[in-house]
Amino acid sequence: MTPDFSAMLRWPNVPACYGWLSLDQRGRWRMRGEAVSHRGLQDFLNRQYAHDEDGNYFVQNGPQRVFVDLDYTPWVLHLATPDCFATQVGEMVSELRGAAIDEEGNLLLEIPAGIALLCDRDLPTLLPCLYLANGEVADDDALLAAIAQAADCVNADISPLTLVWHAQHLPVRTLRRSDIPKRYGFIASPQEAPPGVLP
């Protein structure tokens, strides 16, 4: 899906909007903190979701950019079927490029569009896909050790875990949540430029 930017050509100087729209950790849109429940509005937001070269995510609303505050990552993955992921905007994901776990036990997956958080509701389904080097499924102790490693790490480290998803075997990195935006090049909370400063 590609947002429609044509209105910007007709009205190029409409001021951007900040602090009004957010994306939560389950991939739900929120307006001023309230969940968006109207299906037509959800579909519109999904279609018009994009990002600029600086890593700010926004929804293009006609000539206006409505910047999005991200509760965590710009993408959230759900299991659309038992063997296929989809992003929060409904795009199917067939390729995983990497995996990481943070100090809170969140599972992050690198997809072609960027870094995605696996929705917590689907995490129990993927836990049996985490393996140890000896080929055994990771037990609770191994998972807790990886989470503790993420809390202690300064840079991205390789944990003892491997995510096995279909034919892919992805080493699982340990990362601090606070390091994710810089590492993956996105702005979690876009800010309006001060007066007199060009964006």
Side-chain angles (χ1 to χ4, degrees), residues 52-129:
D52 63 23
E53 62 277 3
D54 296 319
N56 295 292
Y57 281 76
F58 60 87
V59 167
Q60 192 69 40
N61 181 27
Q64 183 178 54
R65 283 191 175 178
V66 181
F67 284 93
V68 178
D69 288 322
L70 304 171
D71 280 5
Y72 198 164
T73 56
W75 302 101
V76 179
L77 289 184
H78 302 270
L79 281 169
T81 67
D83 60 356
C84 187
F85 294 109
T87 69
Q88 80 275 7
V89 300
E91 293 182 344
M92 304 306 286
V93 175
S94 59
E95 178 187 358
L96 300 181
R97 297 180 174 177
I101 192 168
D102 72 9
E103 75 275 20
E104 298 174 358
N106 294 304
L107 187 62
L108 299 120
L109 299 170
E110 295 177 30
I111 62 175
I115 188 66
L117 174 69
L118 178 69
C119 180
D120 61 342
R121 291 176 174 166
D122 292 317
L123 184 58
T125 303
L126 254 72
L127 289 180
C129 300

Side-chain angles (χ1 to χ4, degrees), residues 2-3 19 41 48 84 103 110 114 124 130 136 138 150 152 166 168 184 192:
T2 302
L41 180 54
Q48 296 298 108
C84 187
E103 75 275 20
E110 295 177 30
L130 294 171
E136 294 182 358
D152 293 337
H166 302 301
Q168 294 182 283
Y184 291 99
E192 186 173 7

